[in-house]
Amino acid sequence: MGVDLGDLVPKKVIELGELRGKVIAIDAYNALYQFLANIRQPDGTPLMDSRGNITSHLSGLLYRTINLLETGIKPVYVFDGKPPEVKELEILRRIKLKEEAAKKYEEALARGDYEAARKYAVRTSKLSTEMVNDAKKLLDLMGIPWVQAPSEGEAQAAYMVKRGDAWAAASQDYDSLLFGAIRLIRNLTITGRRKLPRKNVYVEVKPELIELEEVLRRLGITHEQLVEVAILIGTDYNPEGIKGVGPKTALKLIKTYGSLEKALKVVKEAKFPVDPMRIKELFLKPSVTDRYQLTWEKPDAKGLMEFLCREHDFSSERVRRAIERASKSLREITTQSSLEAWFG
Amino acid sequence: MSLKMVFSDARQWRYLVDTFSTLIDEACFIVSPEGVKLRALDPSRIAMIDFFLPPEAFEEFECTEETRLGVNFDDFKKIMRRGKSKDRLELELGESDRRIKIRFLGRAIRTFSLGLLDLGGEELPLPKVPFTVRAKVLSDTMKEALKDAEIVSDYVRLEGSEDKLSVKASSDRGNVEVDFTPESGSLIELEVKEPSSASYSLDYLSDMMKASAISDILTIEFATNKPLALTFDLPGGGRLTFFLAPRIES
């Protein structure tokens, strides 16, 4: 879910081509959930193999990753680890939402309302441990690096960007900005023609670049204050936020009083599930690791055919073509240099 | 701040703008009493354009202070493609104008106006490359050599040795080799500090070679596994240089 910074954040629409040659740390769960939500049959049933295993996420991961490779992007997927304890409330809330959606999905199916069924089906999207392991296995076979975050994936991605190992983090959520990522890219894994939900209208989705420095300059606050604004709005660690406080009010409060501590003395009705200072700490000093290695290897064609076609019933013709595209673009990525190295 | 430039052959600008538009989406012409400059990187930072045209290249050149003309090349190209042979070209920007007037002076006087973009940014540095090979060749012959190479591959290997410059391409589809020697008549000058070779993307090279329509002679400079510079001499002492980052096999 993440914090809703929405309109506070200046975004710049960019072309995928501008990311050529750059390492992008992709929020793996975020991407997999999007594939799971979008790659479905009209009545909302996800893609499945003959044994009933869901494969929407694998299909999305395979083809979207190859699209990124073809534009010259070097993707690295970052997987969430164990969530911090304070996230418990948010996790429970999500489970409840999914249970409700599942019930409504069944009801819609029963009355033959496929449009509604699809809407609710999308909300039931759940990633099982097995699905996540399949995704990691697919990445290994494709030669694409992935990193296991000790805790929050977005914190790990932000850390990699701060260290300069990745150029930007990619996610639909804004949380990586709170974790200190200097660049965030939205819409990376959904770029292209997209159907608007429940409407027969297509829109062209383009990637957006958000630069932390520009955000702070525009808002006239420090990074620490941005985290405090987020806490007032509501984060994954205090999903309810504060009643009546949206992005604009939150910004105004922090700018007027200077800090969360002082602002909370004024907003007396504020209630938090945990000490807000602890939430702040989680964003400013998250648990991350530097034990990762980023290399892009030649795809394992035999392994991919075995895994995707034999185990999960993908069309062997399509997979063969995908492997060819992946191998070619990988070669391109690893050989074409950029002029940047010669500006010194 | 006002400026006016008249160029005798509208088609030459059309070819220039066509070439630029294959590499960049938008960029800034900097017009000053010294002439017109443009320096831009393509979005993927693999290629760079460095262009200069002195006042002498124009029939008429009036500019009192430095002026930045930020243009969208897709839009600019569409207008410039309307230029006919024998048309003269006039570019004019009035005091406090936000649009530049583009005028073709031919059988009729056709005036277009193009909105300018506010493109900031400091001047880009040029890549620093210690070139070890410098060759002057006929640009047409080079264009053909690259077309030959395209039959088998997406990239070419340039090799410079004491007595020749070679363009080579190979893949499982076959091999192509084109040699430029002084005897063959297409190699006008060759300076080799040490035998060198490097590979470059044909996609980019063929885009750059579109400039051969306005210049017969091309100077190629490169060094082993380093960027390439292609320089076209333009009329009136102008010059257009492209830089291209190499492909480095690991």
Side-chain angles (χ1 to χ4, degrees):
Chain A
M1 221 22 73
V3 62
D4 175 25
L5 289 177
D7 296 340
L8 290 186
V9 171
K11 308 174 184 94
K12 198 170 100 192
V13 174
I14 58 167
E15 299 291 333
L16 266 190
E18 293 177 50
L19 302 174
R20 179 188 289 264
K22 297 192 158 61
V23 177
I24 310 289
I26 302 172
D27 181 348
Y29 272 81
N30 192 270
L32 292 176
Y33 270 116
Q34 276 169 5
F35 301 143
L36 207 48
N38 294 330
I39 306 174
R40 279 172 189 269
Q41 294 166 33
D43 70 350
T45 316
L47 301 186
M48 279 188 245
D49 62 23
S50 58
R51 281 165 295 285
N53 298 309
I54 294 178
T55 56
S56 295
H57 63 306
L58 297 179
S59 174
L61 190 60
L62 174 71
Y63 295 113
R64 182 48 66 160
T65 304
I66 293 175
N67 284 348
L68 296 180
L69 287 174
E70 281 184 327
T71 44
I73 293 169
K74 295 173 170 172
V76 45
Y77 285 87
V78 183
F79 286 85
D80 283 340
K82 195 176 174 305
E85 277 163 33
V86 299
K87 205 174 177 176
E88 212 171 302
L89 248 155
E90 166 66 7
I91 292 167
L92 286 174
R93 193 182 70 90
R94 288 182 197 176
I95 292 173
K96 212 171 138 233
L97 281 177
K98 279 179 189 167
E99 280 168 359
E100 279 165 19
K103 217 157 79 201
K104 285 186 179 151
Y105 168 65
E106 295 298 339
E107 286 166 12
L109 267 189
R111 60 169 194 273
D113 183 350
Y114 294 115
E115 214 169 308
R118 187 186 165 94
K119 177 175 87 179
Y120 292 119
V122 165
R123 295 186 195 163
T124 62
S125 301
K126 238 188 284 182
L127 275 175
S128 67
T129 314
E130 206 185 346
M131 287 162 78
V132 172
N133 288 341
D134 272 355
K136 289 175 177 171
K137 184 172 175 189
L138 177 59
L139 290 171
D140 281 337
L141 291 170
M142 292 176 77
I144 304 294
W146 56 269
V147 175
Q148 178 62 59
S151 185
E152 298 278 13
E154 288 176 281
Q156 179 66 29
Y159 176 67
M160 290 161 66
V161 176
K162 269 198 278 187
R163 287 181 92 199
D165 291 334
W167 188 78
S171 175
Q172 289 311 93
D173 296 348
Y174 296 102
D175 290 26
S176 24
L177 294 174
L178 305 182
F179 288 118
I182 51 177
R183 294 184 202 90
L184 166 67
I185 293 168
R186 297 185 76 232
N187 299 346
L188 185 73
T189 49
I190 56 166
T191 293
R193 248 164 64 93
R194 281 255 90 88
K195 191 175 167 293
L196 285 181
R198 296 179 296 287
K199 280 184 203 142
N200 210 7
V201 178
Y202 285 84
V203 288
E204 179 79 22
V205 178
K206 285 196 170 187
E208 294 169 349
L209 172 67
I210 297 156
E211 291 171 293
L212 181 59
E213 203 177 302
E214 176 66 15
V215 174
L216 301 178
R217 199 183 58 80
R218 195 73 77 84
L219 302 181
I221 55 176
T222 65
H223 178 240
E224 194 177 333
Q225 287 175 316
L226 180 70
V227 172
E228 296 179 333
V229 169
I231 294 170
L232 289 175
I233 301 170
T235 69
D236 280 352
Y237 311 135
N238 60 318
E240 305 287 322
I242 296 168
K243 215 171 165 232
V245 177
K248 279 190 187 134
T249 316
L251 177 66
K252 207 170 149 202
L253 282 169
I254 293 298
K255 284 185 86 159
T256 313
Y257 299 103
S259 75
L260 182 63
E261 249 179 321
K262 287 181 189 148
L264 287 178
K265 282 187 186 136
V266 187
V267 194
K268 294 220 165 56
E269 67 274 26
K271 279 198 209 79
F272 290 90
V274 281
D275 178 1
M277 295 305 142
R278 230 183 105 206
I279 298 178
K280 199 169 131 183
E281 188 82 1
L282 278 170
F283 282 114
L284 295 178
K285 289 187 193 124
S287 157
V288 290
T289 177
D290 50 16
R291 279 173 41 201
Y292 56 81
Q293 210 185 352
L294 307 185
T295 52
W296 289 262
E297 311 281 348
K298 209 169 138 27
D300 173 356
K302 228 179 111 196
L304 280 167
M305 295 299 288
E306 168 75 27
F307 177 61
L308 292 173
C309 307
R310 293 269 304 274
E311 284 179 43
H312 290 298
D313 303 328
F314 277 54
S315 134
S316 44
E317 192 40 46
R318 287 194 67 195
V319 171
R320 198 169 297 123
R321 272 204 305 273
I323 295 171
E324 257 171 47
R325 284 166 58 204
S327 311
K328 189 169 175 242
S329 37
L330 190 91
R331 212 180 112 74
E332 201 52 44
I333 280 173
T334 45
T335 53
Q336 177 63 61
S337 66
S338 131
L339 282 175
E340 261 159 28
W342 283 275
F343 295 131
Chain B
M1 171 181 89
S2 71
L3 63 88
K4 186 175 169 188
M5 298 178 273
V6 182
F7 201 75
S8 60
D9 182 356
R11 274 182 319 163
Q12 294 219 4
W13 268 82
R14 167 188 168 161
Y15 295 137
L16 269 177
V17 171
D18 253 357
T19 311
F20 291 173
S21 71
T22 58
L23 293 169
I24 49 179
D25 302 326
E26 45 191 45
C28 219
F29 285 100
I30 298 174
V31 187
S32 73
E34 280 81 54
V36 181
K37 280 192 298 187
L38 178 140
R39 195 176 277 182
L41 266 175
D42 88 302
S44 58
R45 304 181 158 247
I46 294 171
M48 186 175 184
I49 301 172
D50 185 38
F51 163 75
F52 171 68
L53 211 52
E56 294 74 41
F58 295 84
E59 251 180 44
E60 207 179 305
F61 190 92
E62 279 170 39
C63 172
T64 45
E65 61 178 298
E66 187 174 292
T67 309
R68 298 170 69 92
L69 306 175
V71 295
N72 173 309
F73 273 88
D74 220 31
D75 298 337
F76 196 19
K77 175 181 76 185
K78 282 181 195 147
I79 297 175
M80 294 308 291
R81 282 195 172 161
R82 300 297 304 147
K84 308 289 179 213
S85 72
K86 291 182 187 158
D87 275 358
R88 285 153 74 233
L89 171 72
E90 183 181 291
L91 300 171
E92 190 182 21
L93 186 74
E95 202 76 41
S96 69
D97 274 1
R98 290 305 302 147
R99 286 166 180 271
I100 185 162
K101 283 201 183 71
I102 301 164
R103 198 167 282 140
F104 295 112
L105 310 166
R107 291 202 166 164
I109 297 172
R110 297 145 66 214
T111 306
F112 299 78
S113 73
L114 175 71
L116 295 175
L117 309 174
D118 192 10
L119 301 174
E122 60 244 62
E123 195 179 356
L124 287 163
L126 288 178
K128 290 192 188 69
V129 190
F131 295 118
T132 48
V133 176
R134 184 173 179 280
K136 251 187 188 185
V137 298
L138 294 179
S139 41
D140 261 353
T141 321
M142 180 51 74
K143 193 176 172 186
E144 291 303 316
L146 297 175
K147 278 190 183 164
D148 291 339
E150 265 174 17
I151 294 175
V152 298
S153 183
D154 300 329
Y155 53 95
V156 281
R157 189 155 193 84
L158 297 185
E159 289 183 13
S161 61
E162 233 169 83
D163 53 357
K164 69 175 181 186
L165 172 76
S166 309
V167 175
K168 294 183 179 176
S170 64
S171 73
D172 28 356
R173 276 176 277 161
N175 300 317
V176 173
E177 179 169 345
V178 182
D179 292 333
F180 292 76
T181 60
E183 297 80 46
S184 67
S186 54
L187 185 64
I188 300 158
E189 272 175 44
L190 179 67
E191 250 176 76
V192 176
K193 286 190 190 138
E194 58 184 65
S196 313
S197 68
S199 296
Y200 303 97
S201 151
L202 269 171
D203 256 6
Y204 280 93
L205 283 175
S206 25
D207 284 346
M208 295 170 177
M209 288 308 292
K210 292 205 173 107
S212 64
I214 36 172
S215 179
D216 299 337
I217 294 175
L218 162 69
T219 305
I220 299 177
E221 292 165 284
F222 65 96
T224 299
N225 287 347
K226 296 203 167 61
L228 164 87
L230 291 184
T231 303
F232 294 91
D233 290 326
L234 302 179
R239 124 195 93 59
L240 170 59
T241 300
F242 295 104
F243 291 92
L244 176 60
R247 296 171 52 93
I248 299 173
E249 305 287 336
S250 47

